[in-house]
């Protein structure tokens, strides 16, 4: 059974940093990261950073310059490094990936989410 798991969330003061990790486990043939998303209480889920044209990473304006995505394809792991965190960054952060696995073929997977809380 394929799973996508995020980790690394926590509570930090404003100005702090966190490193979130997203890893796939189980029996799969390919792993294609699609994006990091977040959902704050009472708000819709929004894209934080996602794959754009040419396999580049596009960042939301709200996090541009403060967040960086890195990928370890050999380990099927994606990192979201977040710096200079603000209270408005408080949300549950999710990873999304397209994973090919038998017998389902290629489908999208979401992780269970990891809570990020930034105190003022």
């Amino acid at each position: 059974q394929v799973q996508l798991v995020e980790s690394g969330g926590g509570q930090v003061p404003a100005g702090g940093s966190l490193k979130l990790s997203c890893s796939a486990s189980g029996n799969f043939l390919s792993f294609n990261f699609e994006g990091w998303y977040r959902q704050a209480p009472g708000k819709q889920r929004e894209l934080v950073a996602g794959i754009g044209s040419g396999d580049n990473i596009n960042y939301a304006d709200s996090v541009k310059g403060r967040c960086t995505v890195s990928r370890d394809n050999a380990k099927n792991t994606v990192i979201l490094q977040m710096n200079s965190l603000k209270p408005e960054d408080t949300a549950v952060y999710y990873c999304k990936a397209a994973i090919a696995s038998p017998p389902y073929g290629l489908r999208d997977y979401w992780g269970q989410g990891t809570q990020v809380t930034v105190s003022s």
Side-chain angles (χ1 to χ4, degrees), residues 64-112:
K64 203 170 291 184
R66 301 188 296 119
C67 291
T68 303
V69 171
S70 59
R71 292 174 280 181
D72 186 337
N73 294 327
K75 295 182 179 179
N76 298 307
T77 297
V78 182
I79 302 295
L80 177 65
Q81 177 68 47
M82 302 191 295
N83 302 320
S84 303
L85 283 163
K86 305 175 182 180
E88 50 264 43
D89 293 319
T90 295
V92 178
Y93 284 70
Y94 299 91
C95 176
K96 182 183 178 187
I99 299 175
S101 66
Y104 307 107
L106 186 66
R107 52 169 284 192
D108 286 339
Y109 286 82
W110 289 89
Q112 83 290 352

Side-chain angles (χ1 to χ4, degrees), residues 10-18 38-41 43 46 62-63 66-67 82-93 115-120:
Q11 182 169 355
V12 296
S17 298
L18 280 174
R38 67 186 181 187
Q39 187 166 18
K43 294 188 176 181
E46 63 176 2
S62 58
V63 304
R66 301 188 296 119
C67 291
M82 302 191 295
N83 302 320
S84 303
L85 283 163
K86 305 175 182 180
E88 50 264 43
D89 293 319
T90 295
V92 178
Y93 284 70
Q115 177 71 47
V116 170
T117 303
V118 184
S119 56
S120 56

